[in-house]
Amino acid sequence: MPLKYHEKLDKDNTLRLRSMQRELPAFCQTFFRGIEPRTQSRTRIAYAYDLKVFFRFLLEEVPYFRKYSAVTEILLGDLEQIEVLDLENYMEYLKYRTRKKILDGKEIQEDVLNQPKSIKRKISSLKSFYNYLYRDQLVRKNPAALLSLPKLREQDIVRLDGNEVADFLDEVENGTKLTMQQQKFHEKTALRDSAMMNLMLGTGIRVSECVGLNIQDVDFNNDGIRIHRKGGKEVTVYFSDEVEQILLAYMEERRHKAASSGSEDALFLSLQNKRMNVRTVEKMVKKYASLVTPLKHITPHKLRSTYGTNLYRETGDIYLVADVLGHSDVNTTKKHYAALEDERRRSARNKVHLRED
């Protein structure tokens, strides 16, 4: 039996992680084995990348570690030599650095400028790494615990307004603003693209959840789709009558397509008749959105925010929004929609009358 999309993705990530661990000190394997039961494979890959950057910093910038020629030579006991000051220097190093890259068979240096959000993630990864080693008594001190995470400026949520949603879906359906070359492809993909964009805007599912859908995951009797959330949880998300119509039309087209080997069950297919991937959908959203909202940077996640905003405005139920979006902590939802909550509080200021008119 072929693997489901999320199972194949997890397998590929696991193999990739094994390869990345070969470029890290041997003791890091203990860390990755320890966090495996409570983390996703893509999270562990992010940790592996962040740790590689950290150990590369040690070799380049900390005198004690210059005796080593490769990251893999670093020993667990060497971590005892690292002080808080070294980690503060690491934060500064992350703002701007250079890295080696192979291009056309030649080694070149590439400039890397990290944004505050990226720096915070790398420091969080380092803290998790140290916390694990210290808790399991593999190191005697935890300098990372004394390191403060950089503060991020609160950013407004970018989303599509009501009229922009209509314009966006019209462009996806008709492609009137596309170039002549783009319109040739659009003739072949219009129904598929419309089905995907309507589904994402009408349910708030993640792009990975969308491309992972199989034909049998769609239930028209109950107007729902079965998706796999982060952490492997399987849930049913429901779609509207409006979304149902476009999905039914696409399903008829899909029945006449012969999928490539390994993609037979995939709901959404590429022009090569293979399962769509996340990157392709990201490009699709950017292509259509840039034509109707050129001043907004719209991504698949922004479509998800648009749905969450609309659902909260219609229901006023932050717990329902958190549940439908698959947030494990309602505080995450509240943080994202704090401005809307304030708007609702202001609108209620005259609802209670102290005296009868």
PDB file of all heavy atoms in Angstrom, residues 269-305:
ATOM      1  N   LEU A 269      -3.533  17.723  -8.942  1.00  0.00           N
ATOM      2  CA  LEU A 269      -2.407  17.291  -9.762  1.00  0.00           C
ATOM      3  C   LEU A 269      -1.775  18.460 -10.510  1.00  0.00           C
ATOM      4  O   LEU A 269      -2.454  19.413 -10.898  1.00  0.00           O
ATOM      5  CB  LEU A 269      -2.864  16.249 -10.785  1.00  0.00           C
ATOM      6  CG  LEU A 269      -3.414  14.925 -10.239  1.00  0.00           C
ATOM      7  CD1 LEU A 269      -3.921  14.064 -11.396  1.00  0.00           C
ATOM      8  CD2 LEU A 269      -2.351  14.181  -9.443  1.00  0.00           C
ATOM      9  N   SER A 270      -0.475  18.346 -10.737  1.00  0.00           N
ATOM     10  CA  SER A 270       0.254  19.331 -11.536  1.00  0.00           C
ATOM     11  C   SER A 270       0.038  19.039 -13.012  1.00  0.00           C
ATOM     12  O   SER A 270      -0.624  18.060 -13.377  1.00  0.00           O
ATOM     13  CB  SER A 270       1.750  19.258 -11.211  1.00  0.00           C
ATOM     14  OG  SER A 270       2.279  18.012 -11.665  1.00  0.00           O
ATOM     15  N   LEU A 271       0.602  19.857 -13.877  1.00  0.00           N
ATOM     16  CA  LEU A 271       0.493  19.624 -15.315  1.00  0.00           C
ATOM     17  C   LEU A 271       1.221  18.347 -15.726  1.00  0.00           C
ATOM     18  O   LEU A 271       0.960  17.797 -16.798  1.00  0.00           O
ATOM     19  CB  LEU A 271       1.066  20.822 -16.088  1.00  0.00           C
ATOM     20  CG  LEU A 271       0.197  22.095 -16.075  1.00  0.00           C
ATOM     21  CD1 LEU A 271       0.930  23.249 -16.725  1.00  0.00           C
ATOM     22  CD2 LEU A 271      -1.134  21.845 -16.780  1.00  0.00           C
ATOM     23  N   GLN A 272       2.112  17.882 -14.865  1.00  0.00           N
ATOM     24  CA  GLN A 272       2.809  16.617 -15.117  1.00  0.00           C
ATOM     25  C   GLN A 272       2.048  15.437 -14.510  1.00  0.00           C
ATOM     26  O   GLN A 272       2.551  14.316 -14.472  1.00  0.00           O
ATOM     27  CB  GLN A 272       4.237  16.656 -14.530  1.00  0.00           C
ATOM     28  CG  GLN A 272       5.180  17.617 -15.245  1.00  0.00           C
ATOM     29  CD  GLN A 272       4.898  19.073 -14.913  1.00  0.00           C
ATOM     30  OE1 GLN A 272       4.587  19.400 -13.766  1.00  0.00           O
ATOM     31  NE2 GLN A 272       5.006  19.952 -15.898  1.00  0.00           N
ATOM     32  N   ASN A 273       0.831  15.736 -14.024  1.00  0.00           N
ATOM     33  CA  ASN A 273      -0.042  14.724 -13.414  1.00  0.00           C
ATOM     34  C   ASN A 273       0.568  14.089 -12.165  1.00  0.00           C
ATOM     35  O   ASN A 273       0.328  12.922 -11.866  1.00  0.00           O
ATOM     36  CB  ASN A 273      -0.414  13.636 -14.437  1.00  0.00           C
ATOM     37  CG  ASN A 273      -1.384  14.160 -15.482  1.00  0.00           C
ATOM     38  OD1 ASN A 273      -2.213  15.024 -15.187  1.00  0.00           O
ATOM     39  ND2 ASN A 273      -1.274  13.658 -16.694  1.00  0.00           N
ATOM     40  N   LYS A 274       1.362  14.904 -11.461  1.00  0.00           N
ATOM     41  CA  LYS A 274       1.910  14.478 -10.170  1.00  0.00           C
ATOM     42  C   LYS A 274       1.251  15.304  -9.072  1.00  0.00           C
ATOM     43  O   LYS A 274       0.664  16.360  -9.325  1.00  0.00           O
ATOM     44  CB  LYS A 274       3.427  14.688 -10.132  1.00  0.00           C
ATOM     45  CG  LYS A 274       4.194  13.850 -11.143  1.00  0.00           C
ATOM     46  CD  LYS A 274       5.691  14.118 -11.026  1.00  0.00           C
ATOM     47  CE  LYS A 274       6.475  13.282 -12.023  1.00  0.00           C
ATOM     48  NZ  LYS A 274       7.936  13.552 -11.934  1.00  0.00           N
ATOM     49  N   ARG A 275       1.324  14.817  -7.843  1.00  0.00           N
ATOM     50  CA  ARG A 275       0.754  15.564  -6.719  1.00  0.00           C
ATOM     51  C   ARG A 275       1.367  16.957  -6.649  1.00  0.00           C
ATOM     52  O   ARG A 275       2.590  17.117  -6.789  1.00  0.00           O
ATOM     53  CB  ARG A 275       1.010  14.828  -5.401  1.00  0.00           C
ATOM     54  CG  ARG A 275       0.337  15.508  -4.196  1.00  0.00           C
ATOM     55  CD  ARG A 275       0.728  14.843  -2.885  1.00  0.00           C
ATOM     56  NE  ARG A 275       0.180  13.504  -2.775  1.00  0.00           N
ATOM     57  CZ  ARG A 275      -1.039  13.214  -2.334  1.00  0.00           C
ATOM     58  NH1 ARG A 275      -1.857  14.183  -1.969  1.00  0.00           N
ATOM     59  NH2 ARG A 275      -1.425  11.959  -2.251  1.00  0.00           N
ATOM     60  N   MET A 276       0.556  17.955  -6.434  1.00  0.00           N
ATOM     61  CA  MET A 276       1.049  19.318  -6.295  1.00  0.00           C
ATOM     62  C   MET A 276       1.952  19.413  -5.074  1.00  0.00           C
ATOM     63  O   MET A 276       1.770  18.675  -4.091  1.00  0.00           O
ATOM     64  CB  MET A 276      -0.130  20.279  -6.110  1.00  0.00           C
ATOM     65  CG  MET A 276      -1.089  20.346  -7.293  1.00  0.00           C
ATOM     66  SD  MET A 276      -0.480  21.403  -8.615  1.00  0.00           S
ATOM     67  CE  MET A 276      -0.750  23.018  -7.900  1.00  0.00           C
ATOM     68  N   ASN A 277       2.928  20.328  -5.114  1.00  0.00           N
ATOM     69  CA  ASN A 277       3.769  20.542  -3.942  1.00  0.00           C
ATOM     70  C   ASN A 277       3.562  21.946  -3.398  1.00  0.00           C
ATOM     71  O   ASN A 277       2.967  22.813  -4.051  1.00  0.00           O
ATOM     72  CB  ASN A 277       5.245  20.276  -4.252  1.00  0.00           C
ATOM     73  CG  ASN A 277       5.780  21.181  -5.355  1.00  0.00           C
ATOM     74  OD1 ASN A 277       5.663  22.402  -5.282  1.00  0.00           O
ATOM     75  ND2 ASN A 277       6.372  20.596  -6.384  1.00  0.00           N
ATOM     76  N   VAL A 278       4.027  22.161  -2.192  1.00  0.00           N
ATOM     77  CA  VAL A 278       3.799  23.419  -1.490  1.00  0.00           C
ATOM     78  C   VAL A 278       4.362  24.597  -2.262  1.00  0.00           C
ATOM     79  O   VAL A 278       3.710  25.643  -2.398  1.00  0.00           O
ATOM     80  CB  VAL A 278       4.418  23.362  -0.076  1.00  0.00           C
ATOM     81  CG1 VAL A 278       4.422  24.743   0.576  1.00  0.00           C
ATOM     82  CG2 VAL A 278       3.656  22.378   0.794  1.00  0.00           C
ATOM     83  N   ARG A 279       5.557  24.451  -2.792  1.00  0.00           N
ATOM     84  CA  ARG A 279       6.206  25.561  -3.487  1.00  0.00           C
ATOM     85  C   ARG A 279       5.399  26.000  -4.704  1.00  0.00           C
ATOM     86  O   ARG A 279       5.269  27.197  -4.983  1.00  0.00           O
ATOM     87  CB  ARG A 279       7.625  25.140  -3.922  1.00  0.00           C
ATOM     88  CG  ARG A 279       8.420  26.233  -4.598  1.00  0.00           C
ATOM     89  CD  ARG A 279       8.605  27.422  -3.678  1.00  0.00           C
ATOM     90  NE  ARG A 279       9.322  28.503  -4.331  1.00  0.00           N
ATOM     91  CZ  ARG A 279       9.140  29.776  -4.052  1.00  0.00           C
ATOM     92  NH1 ARG A 279       8.261  30.139  -3.127  1.00  0.00           N
ATOM     93  NH2 ARG A 279       9.839  30.712  -4.673  1.00  0.00           N
ATOM     94  N   THR A 280       4.825  25.056  -5.428  1.00  0.00           N
ATOM     95  CA  THR A 280       4.033  25.386  -6.609  1.00  0.00           C
ATOM     96  C   THR A 280       2.797  26.194  -6.224  1.00  0.00           C
ATOM     97  O   THR A 280       2.431  27.158  -6.912  1.00  0.00           O
ATOM     98  CB  THR A 280       3.600  24.100  -7.341  1.00  0.00           C
ATOM     99  OG1 THR A 280       4.770  23.385  -7.748  1.00  0.00           O
ATOM    100  CG2 THR A 280       2.765  24.427  -8.567  1.00  0.00           C
ATOM    101  N   VAL A 281       2.157  25.820  -5.122  1.00  0.00           N
ATOM    102  CA  VAL A 281       0.965  26.548  -4.679  1.00  0.00           C
ATOM    103  C   VAL A 281       1.348  27.946  -4.200  1.00  0.00           C
ATOM    104  O   VAL A 281       0.619  28.914  -4.423  1.00  0.00           O
ATOM    105  CB  VAL A 281       0.231  25.770  -3.573  1.00  0.00           C
ATOM    106  CG1 VAL A 281      -1.021  26.527  -3.128  1.00  0.00           C
ATOM    107  CG2 VAL A 281      -0.157  24.388  -4.072  1.00  0.00           C
ATOM    108  N   GLU A 282       2.491  28.070  -3.550  1.00  0.00           N
ATOM    109  CA  GLU A 282       2.958  29.390  -3.121  1.00  0.00           C
ATOM    110  C   GLU A 282       3.140  30.311  -4.325  1.00  0.00           C
ATOM    111  O   GLU A 282       2.750  31.487  -4.292  1.00  0.00           O
ATOM    112  CB  GLU A 282       4.276  29.253  -2.357  1.00  0.00           C
ATOM    113  CG  GLU A 282       4.123  28.619  -0.979  1.00  0.00           C
ATOM    114  CD  GLU A 282       5.445  28.351  -0.293  1.00  0.00           C
ATOM    115  OE1 GLU A 282       6.478  28.316  -1.000  1.00  0.00           O
ATOM    116  OE2 GLU A 282       5.456  28.163   0.930  1.00  0.00           O
ATOM    117  N   LYS A 283       3.710  29.781  -5.391  1.00  0.00           N
ATOM    118  CA  LYS A 283       3.883  30.572  -6.609  1.00  0.00           C
ATOM    119  C   LYS A 283       2.545  30.909  -7.243  1.00  0.00           C
ATOM    120  O   LYS A 283       2.355  31.999  -7.799  1.00  0.00           O
ATOM    121  CB  LYS A 283       4.762  29.798  -7.606  1.00  0.00           C
ATOM    122  CG  LYS A 283       6.219  29.678  -7.204  1.00  0.00           C
ATOM    123  CD  LYS A 283       7.011  28.906  -8.257  1.00  0.00           C
ATOM    124  CE  LYS A 283       8.483  28.809  -7.893  1.00  0.00           C
ATOM    125  NZ  LYS A 283       9.247  28.027  -8.905  1.00  0.00           N
ATOM    126  N   MET A 284       1.608  29.974  -7.181  1.00  0.00           N
ATOM    127  CA  MET A 284       0.277  30.188  -7.741  1.00  0.00           C
ATOM    128  C   MET A 284      -0.419  31.356  -7.039  1.00  0.00           C
ATOM    129  O   MET A 284      -0.963  32.261  -7.686  1.00  0.00           O
ATOM    130  CB  MET A 284      -0.567  28.929  -7.595  1.00  0.00           C
ATOM    131  CG  MET A 284      -1.979  29.064  -8.145  1.00  0.00           C
ATOM    132  SD  MET A 284      -3.108  27.774  -7.527  1.00  0.00           S
ATOM    133  CE  MET A 284      -2.234  26.283  -7.986  1.00  0.00           C
ATOM    134  N   VAL A 285      -0.396  31.343  -5.707  1.00  0.00           N
ATOM    135  CA  VAL A 285      -1.030  32.407  -4.930  1.00  0.00           C
ATOM    136  C   VAL A 285      -0.381  33.752  -5.238  1.00  0.00           C
ATOM    137  O   VAL A 285      -1.073  34.757  -5.446  1.00  0.00           O
ATOM    138  CB  VAL A 285      -0.950  32.098  -3.420  1.00  0.00           C
ATOM    139  CG1 VAL A 285      -1.436  33.293  -2.598  1.00  0.00           C
ATOM    140  CG2 VAL A 285      -1.772  30.870  -3.090  1.00  0.00           C
ATOM    141  N   LYS A 286       0.932  33.774  -5.291  1.00  0.00           N
ATOM    142  CA  LYS A 286       1.655  35.013  -5.578  1.00  0.00           C
ATOM    143  C   LYS A 286       1.297  35.546  -6.957  1.00  0.00           C
ATOM    144  O   LYS A 286       1.103  36.756  -7.135  1.00  0.00           O
ATOM    145  CB  LYS A 286       3.166  34.757  -5.488  1.00  0.00           C
ATOM    146  CG  LYS A 286       4.013  35.983  -5.760  1.00  0.00           C
ATOM    147  CD  LYS A 286       5.497  35.665  -5.645  1.00  0.00           C
ATOM    148  CE  LYS A 286       6.352  36.887  -5.947  1.00  0.00           C
ATOM    149  NZ  LYS A 286       7.800  36.580  -5.857  1.00  0.00           N
ATOM    150  N   LYS A 287       1.186  34.666  -7.931  1.00  0.00           N
ATOM    151  CA  LYS A 287       0.879  35.072  -9.309  1.00  0.00           C
ATOM    152  C   LYS A 287      -0.468  35.784  -9.381  1.00  0.00           C
ATOM    153  O   LYS A 287      -0.571  36.883  -9.941  1.00  0.00           O
ATOM    154  CB  LYS A 287       0.868  33.843 -10.221  1.00  0.00           C
ATOM    155  CG  LYS A 287       0.474  34.144 -11.665  1.00  0.00           C
ATOM    156  CD  LYS A 287       0.484  32.885 -12.508  1.00  0.00           C
ATOM    157  CE  LYS A 287      -0.636  31.932 -12.121  1.00  0.00           C
ATOM    158  NZ  LYS A 287      -0.697  30.753 -13.013  1.00  0.00           N
ATOM    159  N   TYR A 288      -1.492  35.180  -8.818  1.00  0.00           N
ATOM    160  CA  TYR A 288      -2.827  35.768  -8.901  1.00  0.00           C
ATOM    161  C   TYR A 288      -2.974  36.990  -7.993  1.00  0.00           C
ATOM    162  O   TYR A 288      -3.560  38.000  -8.380  1.00  0.00           O
ATOM    163  CB  TYR A 288      -3.881  34.722  -8.534  1.00  0.00           C
ATOM    164  CG  TYR A 288      -4.031  33.610  -9.544  1.00  0.00           C
ATOM    165  CD1 TYR A 288      -3.819  32.287  -9.179  1.00  0.00           C
ATOM    166  CD2 TYR A 288      -4.380  33.882 -10.864  1.00  0.00           C
ATOM    167  CE1 TYR A 288      -3.959  31.252 -10.099  1.00  0.00           C
ATOM    168  CE2 TYR A 288      -4.520  32.856 -11.790  1.00  0.00           C
ATOM    169  CZ  TYR A 288      -4.302  31.543 -11.406  1.00  0.00           C
ATOM    170  OH  TYR A 288      -4.446  30.533 -12.330  1.00  0.00           O
ATOM    171  N   ALA A 289      -2.446  36.913  -6.781  1.00  0.00           N
ATOM    172  CA  ALA A 289      -2.619  37.998  -5.810  1.00  0.00           C
ATOM    173  C   ALA A 289      -1.911  39.272  -6.254  1.00  0.00           C
ATOM    174  O   ALA A 289      -2.413  40.378  -6.032  1.00  0.00           O
ATOM    175  CB  ALA A 289      -2.108  37.564  -4.443  1.00  0.00           C
ATOM    176  N   SER A 290      -0.746  39.120  -6.887  1.00  0.00           N
ATOM    177  CA  SER A 290       0.013  40.301  -7.304  1.00  0.00           C
ATOM    178  C   SER A 290      -0.737  41.106  -8.366  1.00  0.00           C
ATOM    179  O   SER A 290      -0.470  42.295  -8.550  1.00  0.00           O
ATOM    180  CB  SER A 290       1.386  39.891  -7.850  1.00  0.00           C
ATOM    181  OG  SER A 290       1.249  39.075  -9.013  1.00  0.00           O
ATOM    182  N   LEU A 291      -1.683  40.475  -9.040  1.00  0.00           N
ATOM    183  CA  LEU A 291      -2.452  41.163 -10.085  1.00  0.00           C
ATOM    184  C   LEU A 291      -3.615  41.968  -9.517  1.00  0.00           C
ATOM    185  O   LEU A 291      -4.059  42.938 -10.132  1.00  0.00           O
ATOM    186  CB  LEU A 291      -2.988  40.142 -11.103  1.00  0.00           C
ATOM    187  CG  LEU A 291      -1.932  39.372 -11.894  1.00  0.00           C
ATOM    188  CD1 LEU A 291      -2.585  38.291 -12.747  1.00  0.00           C
ATOM    189  CD2 LEU A 291      -1.113  40.312 -12.766  1.00  0.00           C
ATOM    190  N   VAL A 292      -4.113  41.573  -8.348  1.00  0.00           N
ATOM    191  CA  VAL A 292      -5.277  42.259  -7.771  1.00  0.00           C
ATOM    192  C   VAL A 292      -4.932  43.061  -6.516  1.00  0.00           C
ATOM    193  O   VAL A 292      -5.638  44.007  -6.173  1.00  0.00           O
ATOM    194  CB  VAL A 292      -6.411  41.250  -7.456  1.00  0.00           C
ATOM    195  CG1 VAL A 292      -6.911  40.617  -8.730  1.00  0.00           C
ATOM    196  CG2 VAL A 292      -5.953  40.183  -6.476  1.00  0.00           C
ATOM    197  N   THR A 293      -3.861  42.684  -5.820  1.00  0.00           N
ATOM    198  CA  THR A 293      -3.434  43.427  -4.618  1.00  0.00           C
ATOM    199  C   THR A 293      -1.920  43.597  -4.651  1.00  0.00           C
ATOM    200  O   THR A 293      -1.203  43.005  -3.840  1.00  0.00           O
ATOM    201  CB  THR A 293      -3.843  42.693  -3.319  1.00  0.00           C
ATOM    202  OG1 THR A 293      -3.258  41.374  -3.333  1.00  0.00           O
ATOM    203  CG2 THR A 293      -5.338  42.582  -3.193  1.00  0.00           C
ATOM    204  N   PRO A 294      -1.402  44.387  -5.587  1.00  0.00           N
ATOM    205  CA  PRO A 294       0.058  44.491  -5.758  1.00  0.00           C
ATOM    206  C   PRO A 294       0.803  45.045  -4.550  1.00  0.00           C
ATOM    207  O   PRO A 294       2.000  44.812  -4.402  1.00  0.00           O
ATOM    208  CB  PRO A 294       0.195  45.428  -6.973  1.00  0.00           C
ATOM    209  CG  PRO A 294      -1.097  46.190  -7.016  1.00  0.00           C
ATOM    210  CD  PRO A 294      -2.139  45.245  -6.528  1.00  0.00           C
ATOM    211  N   LEU A 295       0.112  45.755  -3.660  1.00  0.00           N
ATOM    212  CA  LEU A 295       0.787  46.345  -2.501  1.00  0.00           C
ATOM    213  C   LEU A 295       0.798  45.419  -1.291  1.00  0.00           C
ATOM    214  O   LEU A 295       1.423  45.729  -0.277  1.00  0.00           O
ATOM    215  CB  LEU A 295       0.109  47.676  -2.120  1.00  0.00           C
ATOM    216  CG  LEU A 295       0.155  48.776  -3.196  1.00  0.00           C
ATOM    217  CD1 LEU A 295      -0.500  50.045  -2.677  1.00  0.00           C
ATOM    218  CD2 LEU A 295       1.586  49.051  -3.631  1.00  0.00           C
ATOM    219  N   LYS A 296       0.119  44.289  -1.388  1.00  0.00           N
ATOM    220  CA  LYS A 296       0.092  43.321  -0.295  1.00  0.00           C
ATOM    221  C   LYS A 296       0.864  42.070  -0.695  1.00  0.00           C
ATOM    222  O   LYS A 296       0.704  41.576  -1.811  1.00  0.00           O
ATOM    223  CB  LYS A 296      -1.349  42.936   0.068  1.00  0.00           C
ATOM    224  CG  LYS A 296      -2.150  44.025   0.741  1.00  0.00           C
ATOM    225  CD  LYS A 296      -3.536  43.511   1.141  1.00  0.00           C
ATOM    226  CE  LYS A 296      -4.338  44.582   1.865  1.00  0.00           C
ATOM    227  NZ  LYS A 296      -5.684  44.086   2.249  1.00  0.00           N
ATOM    228  N   HIS A 297       1.683  41.586   0.245  1.00  0.00           N
ATOM    229  CA  HIS A 297       2.428  40.345  -0.007  1.00  0.00           C
ATOM    230  C   HIS A 297       1.557  39.185   0.465  1.00  0.00           C
ATOM    231  O   HIS A 297       1.564  38.816   1.633  1.00  0.00           O
ATOM    232  CB  HIS A 297       3.759  40.374   0.742  1.00  0.00           C
ATOM    233  CG  HIS A 297       4.560  39.119   0.595  1.00  0.00           C
ATOM    234  ND1 HIS A 297       4.938  38.613  -0.627  1.00  0.00           N
ATOM    235  CD2 HIS A 297       5.058  38.262   1.533  1.00  0.00           C
ATOM    236  CE1 HIS A 297       5.620  37.501  -0.449  1.00  0.00           C
ATOM    237  NE2 HIS A 297       5.701  37.263   0.851  1.00  0.00           N
ATOM    238  N   ILE A 298       0.787  38.618  -0.467  1.00  0.00           N
ATOM    239  CA  ILE A 298      -0.164  37.566  -0.128  1.00  0.00           C
ATOM    240  C   ILE A 298       0.463  36.196  -0.363  1.00  0.00           C
ATOM    241  O   ILE A 298       0.974  35.907  -1.443  1.00  0.00           O
ATOM    242  CB  ILE A 298      -1.464  37.692  -0.950  1.00  0.00           C
ATOM    243  CG1 ILE A 298      -2.119  39.054  -0.681  1.00  0.00           C
ATOM    244  CG2 ILE A 298      -2.427  36.569  -0.614  1.00  0.00           C
ATOM    245  CD1 ILE A 298      -2.525  39.282   0.764  1.00  0.00           C
ATOM    246  N   THR A 299       0.420  35.367   0.665  1.00  0.00           N
ATOM    247  CA  THR A 299       0.931  33.995   0.620  1.00  0.00           C
ATOM    248  C   THR A 299      -0.208  33.051   0.997  1.00  0.00           C
ATOM    249  O   THR A 299      -1.276  33.507   1.445  1.00  0.00           O
ATOM    250  CB  THR A 299       2.082  33.815   1.633  1.00  0.00           C
ATOM    251  OG1 THR A 299       1.550  34.005   2.966  1.00  0.00           O
ATOM    252  CG2 THR A 299       3.191  34.838   1.385  1.00  0.00           C
ATOM    253  N   PRO A 300      -0.027  31.743   0.865  1.00  0.00           N
ATOM    254  CA  PRO A 300      -1.063  30.818   1.319  1.00  0.00           C
ATOM    255  C   PRO A 300      -1.436  31.030   2.791  1.00  0.00           C
ATOM    256  O   PRO A 300      -2.595  30.877   3.169  1.00  0.00           O
ATOM    257  CB  PRO A 300      -0.424  29.441   1.096  1.00  0.00           C
ATOM    258  CG  PRO A 300       0.452  29.643  -0.086  1.00  0.00           C
ATOM    259  CD  PRO A 300       1.033  31.018   0.110  1.00  0.00           C
ATOM    260  N   HIS A 301      -0.453  31.396   3.621  1.00  0.00           N
ATOM    261  CA  HIS A 301      -0.758  31.630   5.033  1.00  0.00           C
ATOM    262  C   HIS A 301      -1.655  32.849   5.206  1.00  0.00           C
ATOM    263  O   HIS A 301      -2.478  32.910   6.138  1.00  0.00           O
ATOM    264  CB  HIS A 301       0.524  31.811   5.844  1.00  0.00           C
ATOM    265  CG  HIS A 301       0.296  31.806   7.322  1.00  0.00           C
ATOM    266  ND1 HIS A 301      -0.011  30.652   8.021  1.00  0.00           N
ATOM    267  CD2 HIS A 301       0.301  32.811   8.232  1.00  0.00           C
ATOM    268  CE1 HIS A 301      -0.171  30.945   9.305  1.00  0.00           C
ATOM    269  NE2 HIS A 301       0.002  32.236   9.453  1.00  0.00           N
ATOM    270  N   LYS A 302      -1.518  33.837   4.304  1.00  0.00           N
ATOM    271  CA  LYS A 302      -2.369  35.025   4.368  1.00  0.00           C
ATOM    272  C   LYS A 302      -3.799  34.669   3.980  1.00  0.00           C
ATOM    273  O   LYS A 302      -4.749  35.293   4.468  1.00  0.00           O
ATOM    274  CB  LYS A 302      -1.815  36.121   3.454  1.00  0.00           C
ATOM    275  CG  LYS A 302      -0.395  36.566   3.759  1.00  0.00           C
ATOM    276  CD  LYS A 302      -0.254  37.088   5.166  1.00  0.00           C
ATOM    277  CE  LYS A 302       1.117  37.696   5.424  1.00  0.00           C
ATOM    278  NZ  LYS A 302       2.227  36.749   5.378  1.00  0.00           N
ATOM    279  N   LEU A 303      -3.979  33.680   3.110  1.00  0.00           N
ATOM    280  CA  LEU A 303      -5.330  33.206   2.797  1.00  0.00           C
ATOM    281  C   LEU A 303      -5.945  32.580   4.042  1.00  0.00           C
ATOM    282  O   LEU A 303      -7.143  32.730   4.311  1.00  0.00           O
ATOM    283  CB  LEU A 303      -5.292  32.180   1.663  1.00  0.00           C
ATOM    284  CG  LEU A 303      -4.691  32.630   0.321  1.00  0.00           C
ATOM    285  CD1 LEU A 303      -4.885  31.541  -0.726  1.00  0.00           C
ATOM    286  CD2 LEU A 303      -5.292  33.938  -0.146  1.00  0.00           C
ATOM    287  N   ARG A 304      -5.133  31.890   4.799  1.00  0.00           N
ATOM    288  CA  ARG A 304      -5.578  31.271   6.058  1.00  0.00           C
ATOM    289  C   ARG A 304      -5.976  32.352   7.063  1.00  0.00           C
ATOM    290  O   ARG A 304      -7.001  32.227   7.755  1.00  0.00           O
ATOM    291  CB  ARG A 304      -4.431  30.411   6.583  1.00  0.00           C
ATOM    292  CG  ARG A 304      -4.672  29.670   7.877  1.00  0.00           C
ATOM    293  CD  ARG A 304      -3.511  28.695   8.060  1.00  0.00           C
ATOM    294  NE  ARG A 304      -3.305  28.318   9.446  1.00  0.00           N
ATOM    295  CZ  ARG A 304      -3.985  27.380  10.079  1.00  0.00           C
ATOM    296  NH1 ARG A 304      -4.944  26.736   9.451  1.00  0.00           N
ATOM    297  NH2 ARG A 304      -3.719  27.078  11.332  1.00  0.00           N
ATOM    298  N   SER A 305      -5.188  33.422   7.142  1.00  0.00           N
ATOM    299  CA  SER A 305      -5.513  34.541   8.023  1.00  0.00           C
ATOM    300  C   SER A 305      -6.805  35.223   7.588  1.00  0.00           C
ATOM    301  O   SER A 305      -7.591  35.683   8.427  1.00  0.00           O
ATOM    302  CB  SER A 305      -4.373  35.562   8.036  1.00  0.00           C
ATOM    303  OG  SER A 305      -3.191  35.008   8.566  1.00  0.00           O
TER     304      SER A 305
END
